[in-house]
Amino acid sequence: MLRFHGLEVLRRLPHPGRGFTQGLIVAGETVWESTGLYGESALLQYQLGDSRAASTAALPPELFGEGICRAGDQLWQLTYQEKVAVRWDPQSLTPLGTVPYNREGWGICTAGDDVVTSDGTSELIRRDPRTLEPAGLIQVRCGGRRVTLLNDLEWAAGRIWANIAGRACLAGIDPETGEVTDIVDARAVRERHRDPQAICNGISALPAAGEFLLTGKYWRHLYHVRLAAGHHQHPEWLLG
């Protein structure tokens, strides 16, 4: 059964740096954010509510930063087309080296004993959290049709939650079947921006059930939101 949700905005917080957000994770009050673009990509660390990042580590100019996740005592940051992932110490933001990585890098999240990555297609890849070696494939479908443009990812309540690039919605995905079980209308957090690339991207689960931190590329704010009752939407809205 497909469930539909809206969003209740609980808090609107500053977005330090207003960067080209590609990945977002939060633990307690501490946020790590990956930003993209060649020559501008970085890893940021800041406290919720702060207007400036406490720490920033720039990537080499030839790397385009993408999704991030915590895996044990390290942090992974994907790159777009460079076929490497960067391993970081999350406390000092010290790079600990790179590993080869197949496919494009878009989003990444921890999911049980695995990490799961997206590459803008309808496929998610299960990977070894220590090496990022592929360990399985999840084909994402909604009513039998592929759901493409899967972007930043998060794990919560036994589901993989995905931004859909260019659409103001989130998809909740059953990791065992790949079936979309939840569609979230995220238009409550849409920001006006002249740049067409300023899309919703960046999702991190918060401790309370159904609560997330959301933002977007170049956005002025982070949004603390909670899933709310939503109206039935035809899946075409998700599928495009």
Side-chain angles (χ1 to χ4, degrees):
M1 179 179 176
L2 191 58
R3 297 181 290 266
F4 296 87
H5 311 271
L7 288 178
E8 177 186 1
V9 178
L10 303 179
R11 290 188 295 168
R12 191 175 67 175
L13 301 160
H15 183 196
R18 300 184 188 180
F20 198 75
T21 305
Q22 302 289 62
L24 191 73
I25 52 178
V26 61
E29 294 293 305
T30 302
V31 181
W32 291 264
E33 179 178 343
S34 172
T35 63
L37 299 177
Y38 293 108
E40 300 181 29
S41 294
L43 179 65
L44 287 70
Q45 184 188 79
Y46 52 86
Q47 298 297 298
L48 279 175
D50 286 355
S51 58
R52 294 185 179 182
S55 303
T56 301
L59 285 177
E62 67 273 13
L63 297 182
F64 189 122
E66 286 280 351
I68 53 173
C69 80
R70 287 287 296 267
D73 60 357
Q74 65 186 12
L75 186 150
W76 286 113
Q77 183 179 29
L78 303 183
T79 60
Y80 178 32
Q81 294 180 321
E82 290 68 62
K83 300 295 179 71
V84 297
V86 183
R87 183 190 285 115
W88 296 88
D89 179 309
Q91 303 308 319
S92 65
L93 300 195
T94 301
L96 304 175
T98 61
V99 300
Y101 173 83
N102 70 330
R103 296 199 178 210
E104 288 187 356
W106 285 44
I108 184 171
C109 70
T110 55
D113 294 331
D114 301 319
V115 297
V116 175
T117 63
S118 64
D119 60 6
T121 69
S122 62
E123 295 180 343
L124 300 176
I125 310 298
R126 293 184 182 273
R127 297 181 182 275
D128 185 299
R130 297 171 298 277
T131 66
L132 297 188
E133 283 294 317
L137 179 69
I138 303 169
Q139 296 181 332
V140 180
R141 301 288 187 270
C142 183
R145 293 181 58 185
R146 295 180 181 179
V147 179
T148 61
L149 298 174
L150 299 171
N151 206 353
D152 195 26
L153 304 176
E154 178 59 300
W155 174 254
R159 293 288 182 266
I160 299 166
W161 299 84
N163 284 114
I164 310 298
R167 299 192 179 99
C169 67
L170 309 172
I173 301 159
D174 184 326
E176 300 303 320
T177 65
E179 188 66 23
V180 172
T181 59
D182 297 81
I183 296 177
V184 182
D185 182 344
R187 287 177 290 184
V189 297
R190 180 180 292 177
E191 291 195 358
R192 295 183 181 276
H193 203 288
R194 293 180 181 179
D195 193 323
Q197 295 189 90
I199 60 174
C200 182
N201 199 41
I203 174 172
S204 186
L206 296 169
E211 294 189 11
F212 295 90
L213 194 67
L214 302 177
T215 193
K217 302 176 181 183
Y218 301 135
W219 283 19
R220 298 184 302 278
H221 302 100
L222 303 170
Y223 293 87
H224 176 184
V225 302
R226 179 166 56 209
L227 297 182
H231 300 292
H232 183 278
Q233 299 273 358
H234 195 280
E236 289 291 338
W237 187 53
L238 176 71
L239 298 167

